[in-house]
Every structure is written in C-alpha cells, then in structure tokens.
Amino acid sequence: MGEREYQDGMARLEAGDVEEGRRLLEAALRASPGSVEVMHGLARALDLAGERGQARALLERAHAQAPGEPGPACDLAMLYLEEEEGTRAERVLAPVLAAHPEHPRANLCMAMALAKAQPERARGHVVKALQETEPEGRRQAEALRRVLGA
C-alpha cells in the first residue's frame, strides 16, 4: 500500500506538485510509519511547502532511526548549516561517513560544515565530494574547492 503512494508522491514532487506530493507521502507514511525513505520524502515535501520546522523534526526522526543513511542525514545537515549549527551538522554526518566514507554528497556536506572552523579537514572532504556525478553537486564541490583553495 505505502510503496505506491511513496513512488507517486515523489513523482508529484519532481513534477512540481508539492501539495499532491505531500498528500501522497503523508498517506505512505501512515501505511509505513517506520519507513526512513518515506519520512525523508515527506520531509522534502514539507520543506518545499515552507514548513521547515516540521521537515526538520521528521528528518531528525529519520536520522535517529537510521543514522548511517545518507539522504536524510545530508538534508538535515544542510538545515543545520542554514541555521549556522555546523557542529550539529558534523555530528549528523559522522555516522554516514563512517558507513559510506566515499559518499560524494555526504563529503560535500561535511566539507561545508568544516569550511570555517577546520578548512584543512574540509579540503580532504572536498576531494571526495569532487567524485560527484550529479552536475549540481559537482558544481557545488568545485565552488567550495575554489573557496578553500584546495
């Protein structure tokens, strides 16, 4: 039951229909209340709907349930970074990088978290972030590399 709503909800989000995507993802979460994947998708919908506090709470719940899962952790870390909570972002990303040390997006997020306070460590993560194949992630990694002088 929940898998179909999840897939349809994510497709609606991709198509720009946040309201319908959210509705479907809420139904998917009711059908699969412990699904980290569904929580992550719904958190994205909530964020797009401007409900950042609810999105953050859902990402925190998903991360607590699966601390090594890159998707929710990276999105949560980015919310923390927007709120200038770099130390919290580092703590969220540490178990992800322990489980997936070469994950480009997790390394990019960690490099961002470390950029101000620990630029040398950040440079090491940028090197791994540059392995990103997605154009936007690659562009961000290259920009951060330039800023850090790596």
Side-chain angles (χ1 to χ4, degrees), residues 4-38:
R4 180 69 182 176
E5 284 94 354
Y6 171 75
Q7 291 173 349
D8 290 347
M10 293 305 292
R12 295 309 317 152
L13 283 183
E14 286 291 319
D17 187 351
V18 175
E19 186 177 322
E20 181 63 9
R22 177 182 176 172
R23 186 189 70 72
L24 289 164
L25 290 165
E26 286 171 340
L29 189 59
R30 283 191 299 277
S32 302
S35 171
V36 171
E37 182 179 49
V38 174

Side-chain angles (χ1 to χ4, degrees), residues 83-138:
E83 298 167 359
E84 298 190 24
E85 296 183 47
T87 302
R88 286 185 87 178
E90 284 179 61
R91 283 195 303 260
V92 164
L93 294 165
V96 172
L97 289 170
H100 309 278
E102 302 302 316
H103 192 277
R105 183 165 180 239
N107 276 286
L108 176 61
C109 292
M110 184 62 91
M112 289 176 178
L114 296 170
K116 288 181 185 176
Q118 300 178 56
E120 193 58 44
R121 273 188 65 208
R123 286 183 193 99
H125 288 285
V126 167
V127 169
K128 293 178 181 179
L130 287 168
Q131 301 307 309
E132 179 64 73
T133 57
E134 221 174 84
E136 179 60 19
R138 175 76 183 190

Side-chain angles (χ1 to χ4, degrees), residues 19-63:
E19 186 177 322
E20 181 63 9
R22 177 182 176 172
R23 186 189 70 72
L24 289 164
L25 290 165
E26 286 171 340
L29 189 59
R30 283 191 299 277
S32 302
S35 171
V36 171
E37 182 179 49
V38 174
M39 283 187 263
H40 183 217
L42 180 55
R44 285 183 165 194
L46 291 167
D47 190 40
L48 290 169
E51 297 181 37
R52 180 105 352 140
Q54 284 184 284
R56 178 179 169 162
L58 200 52
L59 287 170
E60 287 171 339
R61 184 173 144 205
H63 177 67

